[in-house]
Amino acid sequence: MDDITLLKQASRQFHPSAEFVKNAAISGMDAYRALCAEAERDYQGFWARLARENLIWQKPFTKALDESDAPFYRWFEDGHLNVSYNCLDRHLVNGNADKTAIIFEADGGEVTRVTYRELHQKVCKLANGLKALGVNKGDRVVIYMPMSIEGIAAMQACARIGAIHSVVFGGFSAKSLQERIIDAGAVAVITSDEQVRGGKSLPLKSIVDQALEMGGCDEVRHVIVHRRTGNMTGQVAGRDLWLADLMAAQSELCEPEWVSAEHPLFILYTSGSTGTPKGVQHASGGFLLWAMLTMKWTFDLKPSDVFWCTADIGWVTGHSYIAYGPLAAGATEIVFEGVPTYPDAGRFWQMIEKHKATIFYTAPTAIRSLIKAADSNPDVHPQQYNLTSLRLLGSVGEPINPDAWLWYYKHIGREQCPIVDTFWQTETGGHMISPLPGATAMVPGSCTLPLPGIMIGVVDEAGRELPDGQGGILVVKRPWPSMIRDIWGDPQRFIKSYFPEELGGKLYLAGDGAIRDVDTGYFTITGRIDDVLNVSGHRMGTMEIESALVAHPLVAEAAVVGKPDTTTGESICAFVVLKRARPAGAEAQLIAAELRNWVAKEIGPIAKPKELRFGDNLPKTRSGKIMRRLLRLLAKGEAVTQDISTLENPAILEQLKEVS
Ligand code: WT7
């Protein structure tokens, strides 16, 4: 603690070392400003240059950005390329064929390495297998897999044949999986028999079976199963087949399907403030360009680096910074199957030491929980491990509080490693606001400056730009290559969600609040401005959880709010009115447990409310609107000081103060 106080006092800004600056891809603030100026001067020319220099085109594009159908922007549209070719084949001819692409560490510690040549072969075989099953360009394939080489190969194989993948996080329930399969209209599902995390085996294939049995997934013709543990119950003849059997019969060469840069690469479902999860649709060329370029700019990737992003392929971070960016940039990357606390909370540090990781990218939630663990058990404190291989640290998914930042800086980075606090979203495809490690002076808790070419603004509710120092709504003022292209099957919702008329229809609405510092111009994210929660870096809509709760036969009404949590960032607090009398004591406990499990079954364990409170009613205005603002105060345990005379039922507030 004393050290932290010292660090805080020493200076507010942290500068990268001269050594780091010297070798960095973007070296010094002048280099950063020059790139920003180039983008300002000639936006199209800037992106066209980068796309030509970084991607391999089978047919060159003639125009960078087409705005004729805004806000459906199109990038490099008449150019043809293949994403998998850009991630794999390019390294076979530049002397990197035998470079390790992936160091895979299983939950139990077993390590498997694949070179670029081997990964290419795997991807080609899988791609040929998919083709043999009749999966065509444009078809959707749902991937429901654990962290594995096969999971990444499955994504790459889809890209190779122009099929559109939709990865569903392995923690989602059968019902969530079914909804995504139906919405995407998937023709095949790739899964594994089980996944292994924290020493426990959890079923995946049987959840796929359940999802398909729920009905509506009529287009699914094939379920391809990777054998992870060998434990599997039930095979449907004609539908199910082993991944290994499918691949065994195939050639190691698969001619890539050349597609337009605008061809959809994937759909990834994410939560919004209303309705069901949105299928965020990304395009091939623009997405890959930014995933690769941010590997070079934000992560300053060098050929000798060992890159480790701890995300799951079920989230966008695992798409941009595991499955695509690192491979396109020719990195050696670590892929980890397990959890940070198994066999103990020193696992991350032990793996950094063992594999000599040089760049480490994780979420503030993980850092905060590992700080707690290290405080209570000196054996898992990072000082027990040799972390000297590290040269750069990253943070993603939620704001990082200054204390966690300082601990990360001191104990993991030994005060030698810059920290890139990367602000972005599923919809943005890649980093938007982040320090550049060889240029930007860091301020704990601020994601600092927009990346070159990314035009960020802070506006009021009418879309008018606000002066620095005044908090407002975070927007992106110009389209950028890796931006969301559409919400799968719902273009109207795309426009309403991201280019709302209230802001003038031209600004991309991120859904976050932000403030720009008067002196430094640095941005600080002030949190979501909609009903989206961030629990352990997982994004969830309050409405989804409410819908799940009211689907339970006992529940009449439910309102869900976020509550600040020192480990998970936010936690879920649900206020519930039952169809029967308000329960108390043991009965309340029992029903609360039942409802938690119900939500886990409906959505997934990540959506389980941490806290449940029962009331005879919910605080409402006379017109019947639930006062969520008041519920947020109650959840935090704060006093309601404002005027509540407009409330229909003010007495209810007393009752809802109690936790069941
Ligand atoms: C939301 C996006 C970023 C990829 C993983 C999450 C929050 C993300 C930061 C950050 C403050 C952050 C925002 C954003 N967020 N990174 N560095 N500082 N907030 O992607 O699930 O689409 O969530 O995560 O609220 O809107 P996502």
Side-chain angles (χ1 to χ4, degrees):
M1 196 58 210
D2 272 3
D3 298 333
I4 300 267
T5 322
L6 246 168
L7 275 172
K8 270 186 192 165
Q9 284 166 351
S11 71
R12 222 169 64 92
Q13 293 201 345
F14 294 80
H15 295 269
S17 68
E19 178 73 9
F20 199 106
V21 175
K22 195 175 84 202
N23 299 314
I26 299 181
S27 171
M29 282 307 280
D30 286 347
Y32 165 70
R33 286 195 203 97
L35 281 165
C36 294
E38 183 191 344
E40 286 283 353
R41 207 167 45 239
D42 176 10
Y43 199 64
Q44 295 247 0
F46 170 80
W47 287 114
R49 173 178 75 77
L50 293 167
R52 282 188 194 109
E53 286 173 6
N54 287 282
L55 299 182
I56 299 169
W57 296 88
Q58 186 248 357
K59 171 174 172 274
F61 58 89
T62 57
K63 186 179 167 117
L65 170 63
D66 183 344
E67 302 186 79
S68 60
D69 192 23
F72 299 95
Y73 297 101
R74 295 191 293 269
W75 286 91
F76 322 117
E77 191 176 18
D78 65 351
H80 289 185
L81 84 177
N82 179 279
V83 167
S84 148
Y85 183 91
N86 269 276
C87 291
L88 301 171
D89 304 51
R90 73 154 91 189
H91 307 302
L92 305 186
V93 292
N94 65 5
N96 280 331
D98 294 315
K99 180 174 178 172
T100 300
I102 297 174
I103 303 170
F104 174 74
E105 181 160 321
D107 188 64
E110 310 81 16
V111 174
T112 312
R113 287 186 166 73
V114 287
T115 63
Y116 273 93
R117 191 197 312 279
E118 289 160 344
L119 186 60
H120 178 263
Q121 285 172 0
K122 266 187 194 286
V123 169
C124 285
K125 285 185 163 210
L126 220 167
N128 283 329
L130 289 173
K131 279 208 278 195
L133 293 177
V135 178
N136 292 317
K137 177 181 170 186
D139 285 347
R140 276 80 61 206
V141 175
V142 160
I143 298 175
Y144 188 62
M145 290 186 86
M147 288 298 291
S148 53
I149 294 169
E150 288 73 17
I152 295 165
M155 295 164 79
Q156 287 281 342
C158 287
R160 196 158 190 95
I161 64 172
I164 304 164
H165 61 67
S166 185
V167 183
V168 177
F169 176 60
F172 277 118
S173 67
K175 181 147 181 286
S176 296
L177 177 62
Q178 177 222 21
E179 284 165 3
R180 286 157 175 77
I181 291 172
I182 293 174
D183 191 80
V187 300
V189 179
I190 309 179
T191 187
S192 66
D193 47 5
E194 292 190 303
Q195 61 177 336
V196 185
R197 286 164 67 82
K200 289 199 234 40
S201 299
L202 306 156
L204 284 182
K205 166 62 165 58
S206 68
I207 296 175
V208 173
D209 289 342
Q210 284 169 36
L212 298 180
E213 276 159 23
M214 287 177 179
C217 308
D218 310 334
E219 287 169 67
V220 175
R221 297 189 300 264
H222 306 285
V223 175
I224 303 159
V225 188
H226 164 54
R227 194 191 300 265
R228 170 61 184 87
T229 62
N231 300 326
M232 194 172 82
T233 47
Q235 281 220 38
V236 177
R239 188 196 74 183
D240 298 356
L241 73 166
W242 291 108
L243 178 68
D245 293 344
L246 177 68
M247 287 169 68
Q250 304 300 328
S251 154
E252 288 174 0
L253 286 176
C254 174
E255 185 62 23
E257 180 83 32
W258 304 107
V259 297
S260 155
E262 275 300 311
H263 183 69
L265 178 62
F266 64 84
I267 305 164
L268 183 59
Y269 287 85
T270 193
S271 296
S273 46
T274 56
T276 49
K278 310 181 264 196
V280 172
Q281 183 185 324
H282 276 288
S284 301
F287 173 83
L288 187 68
L289 173 64
W290 200 228
M292 179 178 174
L293 210 51
T294 46
M295 284 302 299
K296 294 184 181 176
W297 285 359
T298 317
F299 293 127
D300 189 48
L301 188 82
K302 302 276 189 277
S304 57
D305 274 317
V306 177
F307 177 79
W308 185 13
C309 165
T310 68
D312 191 285
I313 52 168
W315 309 113
V316 73
T317 311
H319 284 59
S320 308
Y321 300 111
I322 294 177
Y324 291 111
L327 298 177
T332 293
E333 65 171 328
I334 298 170
V335 172
F336 178 40
E337 181 182 44
V339 297
T341 48
Y342 179 83
D344 61 40
R347 184 69 183 267
F348 275 0
W349 323 137
Q350 181 243 332
M351 280 181 62
I352 289 169
E353 174 175 322
K354 175 166 157 192
H355 300 297
K356 298 193 169 50
T358 61
I359 306 173
F360 181 65
Y361 190 37
T362 198
T365 294
I367 298 167
R368 287 192 296 263
S369 73
L370 296 177
I371 293 174
K372 276 195 186 163
D375 283 349
S376 61
N377 175 8
D379 291 346
V380 298
H381 195 283
Q383 74 201 15
Q384 304 291 343
Y385 302 86
N386 180 352
L387 304 179
T388 50
S389 58
L390 289 171
R391 65 181 200 90
L392 176 61
L393 303 175
S395 171
V396 59
E398 46 178 328
I400 178 163
N401 48 306
D403 282 343
W405 193 102
L406 290 163
W407 187 91
Y408 198 29
Y409 187 73
K410 178 174 161 56
H411 293 289
I412 309 305
R414 312 168 326 278
E415 296 174 46
Q416 318 257 309
C417 304
I419 297 178
V420 288
D421 174 4
T422 59
F423 168 82
W424 58 297
Q425 311 175 292
T426 305
E427 294 88 341
T428 68
H431 304 151
M432 299 299 276
I433 311 179
S434 172
L436 291 171
T440 320
M442 294 157 285
V443 171
S446 166
C447 50
T448 74
L449 299 169
L451 273 98
I454 303 297
M455 310 299 188
I456 301 286
V458 177
V459 301
D460 68 10
E461 259 119 51
R464 286 175 299 235
E465 196 123 11
L466 290 168
D468 291 350
Q470 201 169 320
I473 299 170
L474 181 76
V475 295
V476 189
K477 297 190 281 186
R478 298 277 285 138
W480 67 103
S482 66
M483 69 190 294
I484 174 176
R485 291 305 192 273
D486 205 344
I487 292 176
W488 183 257
D490 201 345
Q492 283 314 314
R493 190 173 177 199
F494 167 78
I495 298 174
K496 263 184 71 178
S497 307
Y498 302 112
F499 293 91
E501 225 162 288
E502 303 86 72
L503 299 186
K506 281 191 159 12
L507 302 171
Y508 167 84
L509 173 70
D512 285 285
I515 183 162
R516 189 169 179 265
D517 185 81
V518 178
D519 301 321
T520 55
Y522 283 9
F523 289 89
T524 299
I525 306 298
T526 52
R528 297 290 304 194
I529 54 170
D530 52 12
D531 291 320
V532 169
L533 305 184
N534 193 323
V535 182
S536 300
H538 297 153
R539 180 166 154 186
M540 248 154 335
T542 50
M543 244 198 58
E544 280 170 74
I545 307 169
E546 289 167 7
S547 308
L549 284 167
V550 296
H552 190 282
L554 282 178
V555 177
E557 226 182 344
V560 167
V561 297
K563 169 179 174 174
D565 185 290
T566 51
T567 306
T568 59
E570 268 185 302
S571 68
I572 303 168
C573 181
F575 295 87
V576 177
V577 181
L578 297 183
K579 287 176 186 162
R580 58 163 93 161
R582 174 171 180 255
E587 193 199 3
Q589 299 287 322
L590 218 66
I591 298 179
E594 155 75 17
L595 293 181
R596 275 196 196 97
N597 290 337
W598 173 267
V599 173
K601 215 170 82 247
E602 288 281 296
I603 304 174
I606 53 171
K608 270 190 188 183
K610 184 169 175 191
E611 210 175 285
L612 262 146
R613 301 188 191 183
F614 295 103
D616 292 322
N617 212 325
L618 296 173
K620 288 186 189 159
T621 61
R622 296 225 162 86
S623 59
K625 215 173 149 255
I626 297 173
M627 299 282 284
R628 278 160 215 281
R629 216 160 15 94
L630 295 181
L631 292 177
R632 264 177 231 127
L633 287 177
L634 292 178
K636 274 195 268 187
E638 286 176 10
V640 177
T641 50
Q642 70 210 87
D643 178 19
I644 50 170
S645 58
T646 55
L647 270 191
E648 168 79 32
N649 50 349
I652 199 69
L653 297 181
E654 269 315 302
Q655 198 180 66
L656 292 175
K657 276 185 188 160
E658 288 168 42
V659 184
S660 302

